[in-house]
Amino acid sequence: MSGAGRLGRSTAARSTCPLHPRSVSLDPPLVVLSFAHTSKTWPILRQARNWGISILAEGMESVSQDLRRPTDERFSGLKTETVDGAVFLQGVLVRIRVASRSEVESGDHTLKLLDVLDLECDDTRDPLVFYGSRVRTLAPG
């Protein structure tokens, strides 16, 4: 399914949507996330088998602010969907279902390497970008 307002299935290797987290490998498709040792979210995620990574689209600035709330309030009032144990925000630009592969302690952070199991991308929208300590949108091409 592809088209305006719907998510189209794609592989990580063919996707035209920018990936955040950082893409590490296309074959096999891998991504990496970095967690501060002081993170309150990391101990919870560390126990999960599958994760859902949601990348916000333009127009989702209020959701971005909601996600900055304390861990126990972060998803309050936000619409989510669970797919094979991975939780996603609804209405996002990109949904990446991942599984744990390995982790490396790196200074005051842990780098978590994840296998990409599935990637869905809405090619009709643009991403919300966090740059220079604030949320921005891309300039028209």
Side-chain angles (χ1 to χ4, degrees):
M1 298 187 312
S2 62
R6 296 191 310 195
L7 292 173
R9 290 200 177 270
S10 176
T11 65
R14 291 188 335 223
S15 174
T16 57
C17 286
L19 288 180
H20 178 98
R22 177 67 61 187
S23 177
V24 174
S25 169
L26 295 176
D27 188 17
L30 301 170
V31 294
V32 67
L33 291 173
S34 177
F35 293 93
H37 291 162
T38 57
S39 169
K40 294 180 181 169
T41 304
W42 173 230
I44 298 165
L45 286 174
R46 193 177 223 166
Q47 297 173 25
R49 197 180 85 230
N50 287 342
W51 299 0
I53 299 172
S54 299
I55 299 177
L56 303 181
E58 284 184 343
M60 300 186 80
E61 290 84 354
S62 65
V63 174
S64 172
Q65 291 301 315
D66 291 342
L67 293 173
R68 299 176 92 184
R69 295 184 295 206
T71 304
D72 58 340
E73 300 171 19
R74 188 165 296 151
F75 293 96
S76 178
L78 296 177
K79 294 180 181 179
T80 61
E81 178 182 359
T82 302
V83 178
D84 293 328
V87 179
F88 298 97
L89 293 170
Q90 289 184 356
V92 296
L93 177 70
V94 178
R95 295 177 359 159
I96 309 170
R97 189 169 58 90
V98 297
S100 176
R101 177 176 273 244
S102 62
E103 60 187 60
V104 176
E105 298 297 321
S106 302
D108 61 355
H109 281 67
T110 298
L111 299 178
K112 185 67 175 178
L113 189 61
L114 302 155
D115 288 297
V116 175
L117 304 175
D118 192 32
L119 183 143
E120 297 178 358
C121 180
D122 180 348
D123 293 327
T124 66
R125 299 164 64 199
D126 288 322
L128 194 61
V129 179
F130 185 78
Y131 176 76
S133 298
R134 69 184 181 101
V135 176
R136 304 165 188 255
T137 57
L138 297 178

